[in-house]
Amino acid sequence: VAEGEPSEGREPFELQRFWDALGQTFQVASQEATKLSLAFSRPPLPSAENCRKLSEDVQNAILAVATVYYWLPKGQGTTLRKMVRDATTEVVEGMIQLTDTILNAPVESLSQEQLISTGGVWEACEQVSNLPRDNQAAVVSALAASLGVVKDAVEEMEQALVEGQDPYGDIMEDEELGFRGNRDTYWSEADRQLLSSCIGLMKASKACLKKVLAAVKAHGKADSPEHIAQLDDLADIANEISPSVDELALSMYPPVNPLAVRLNAAKLASVLTKVLEIAKTSHVCPPSEEGWVQFLTGAVDHNMNKVKNFTQGQL
């Protein structure tokens, strides 16, 4: 029987019941962390019997958290499932860290490390209330996170280009490294022409994520296996945008290697084209959304062609 699928005598999966159960197990785990921490906050140590009871209670709480996580079927969305898995892992790892801290700390008084570890478990357990409740909300969350990272990368690169010929100008001069006058530390005019096209591609990445995010918010649904799978496909490919933008940005710093810049630009353009294709054929893109898909596809092609032109004679 697949995870989360009903078998004979088992009730069908209900998302709300899952969330109720997960919230309850996270709450119990938090309470057990508090009990464990208090028991070892001052002398005398708990008796062997009490230690055994505390250990069993902590173990049962963690097993319950893990068990409820495994109730969530993959059919509810791999993006959602990954976020729930990450939250579950944080609780488990937090409890392990708290236990290690108690075992390694002197018993004379409540240590700072123990307080921090206990607070870490509480914080991990409280995260359950912030988790997206279905795959549409999970994909919105993932896209928003990627958009934030890409926005920062675009701003950083634009600022570096505006600040002058030497992007390392904020680094102190060093006689041995010879920053000033060193060809490896500034952009030539040819470099700047190439980089302006790369920034155009990075801006297209930001616009792409912004538009896809808005479309998923407006039209995304988690009401059928097909819709859930389409959202996951979109999230999976969109997750590649941010790392691709970062790789392109890194290759843009001097000394500029035109081949490396062109390869990284081509990789980003390929990812963006794929995102737009997947969005266009999914339920998040009704006819009213087709205009921006076409426009951004053209913007990606235009900037990539400019990158090719600028690097043609330099390869």
Side-chain angles (χ1 to χ4, degrees):
V1 179
E3 285 174 17
E5 294 299 321
S7 61
E8 283 185 38
R10 189 191 298 180
E11 293 178 21
F13 177 82
E14 286 181 25
L15 197 54
Q16 188 52 55
R17 286 183 64 185
F18 164 77
W19 286 115
D20 291 344
L22 193 70
Q24 191 176 358
T25 57
F26 272 48
Q27 187 180 5
V28 170
S30 181
Q31 290 166 352
E32 291 305 328
T34 306
K35 276 166 56 180
L36 182 67
S37 192
L38 284 173
F40 289 91
S41 62
R42 65 181 71 84
L45 282 170
S47 65
E49 182 58 35
N50 283 343
C51 280
R52 190 158 42 248
K53 178 73 169 67
L54 282 165
S55 299
E56 283 176 8
D57 288 347
V58 166
Q59 186 179 17
N60 288 338
I62 291 302
L63 284 172
V65 166
T67 300
V68 174
Y69 156 67
Y70 279 112
W71 288 355
L72 183 63
K74 290 175 184 174
Q76 288 294 322
T78 54
T79 311
L80 175 66
R81 206 163 185 271
K82 183 182 182 303
M83 290 182 180
V84 176
R85 184 185 69 206
D86 290 347
T88 303
T89 302
E90 275 191 48
V91 174
V92 176
E93 288 178 347
M95 197 71 89
I96 291 169
Q97 186 182 350
L98 173 59
T99 308
D100 282 343
T101 303
I102 288 169
L103 288 171
N104 295 319
V107 193
E108 286 74 32
S109 62
L110 186 63
S111 70
Q112 187 67 21
E113 289 79 11
Q114 189 175 329
L115 281 170
I116 291 168
S117 296
T118 308
V121 178
W122 292 342
E123 198 175 321
C125 291
E126 284 165 11
Q127 286 306 306
V128 70
S129 60
N130 299 323
L131 287 170
R133 269 7 198 195
D134 62 22
N135 208 46
Q136 187 259 2
V139 171
V140 164
S141 174
L143 292 172
S146 293
L147 176 59
V149 176
V150 169
K151 270 183 179 174
D152 289 346
V154 172
E155 285 169 17
E156 187 180 318
M157 211 67 229
E158 283 185 314
Q159 190 177 350
L161 272 174
V162 167
E163 281 175 355
Q165 290 294 106
D166 185 356
Y168 300 105
D170 59 339
I171 301 173
M172 290 178 66
E173 291 187 49
D174 187 306
E175 285 182 18
E176 281 185 39
L177 296 175
F179 281 132
R180 294 297 181 265
N182 185 335
R183 172 67 185 82
D184 288 352
T185 66
Y186 66 89
W187 286 302
S188 66
E189 194 49 45
D191 290 341
R192 285 176 169 273
Q193 288 183 327
L194 170 60
L195 300 191
S196 67
S197 302
C198 292
I199 285 182
L201 207 50
M202 290 168 74
K203 284 182 174 177
S205 306
K206 184 174 80 169
C208 183
L209 278 168
K210 198 172 178 181
K211 287 292 190 181
V212 170
L213 173 60
V216 172
K217 278 182 179 177
H219 309 292
K221 293 183 178 69
D223 57 357
S224 71
E226 185 186 4
H227 287 162
I228 288 169
Q230 285 177 353
L231 289 171
D232 281 332
D233 287 344
L234 202 48
D236 287 345
I237 185 63
N239 280 342
E240 294 181 29
I241 294 178
S242 173
S244 300
V245 165
D246 285 344
E247 283 176 31
L248 176 58
L250 284 171
S251 68
M252 287 161 68
Y253 278 94
V256 173
N257 178 335
L259 176 58
V261 171
R262 180 166 170 168
L263 287 173
N264 284 317
K267 182 184 174 186
L268 176 57
S270 172
V271 169
L272 293 175
T273 301
K274 208 166 175 184
V275 170
L276 292 166
E277 284 172 358
I278 289 173
K280 189 177 180 181
T281 56
S282 77
H283 72 282
V284 307
C285 197
S288 61
E289 303 285 345
E290 285 175 6
W292 63 260
V293 174
Q294 195 172 348
F295 173 80
L296 285 174
T297 301
V300 170
D301 290 343
H302 172 72
N303 283 294
M304 190 59 222
N305 285 333
K306 282 172 74 177
V307 170
K308 286 177 184 174
N309 290 338
F310 283 128
T311 55
Q312 205 65 49
Q314 302 178 50
L315 302 181

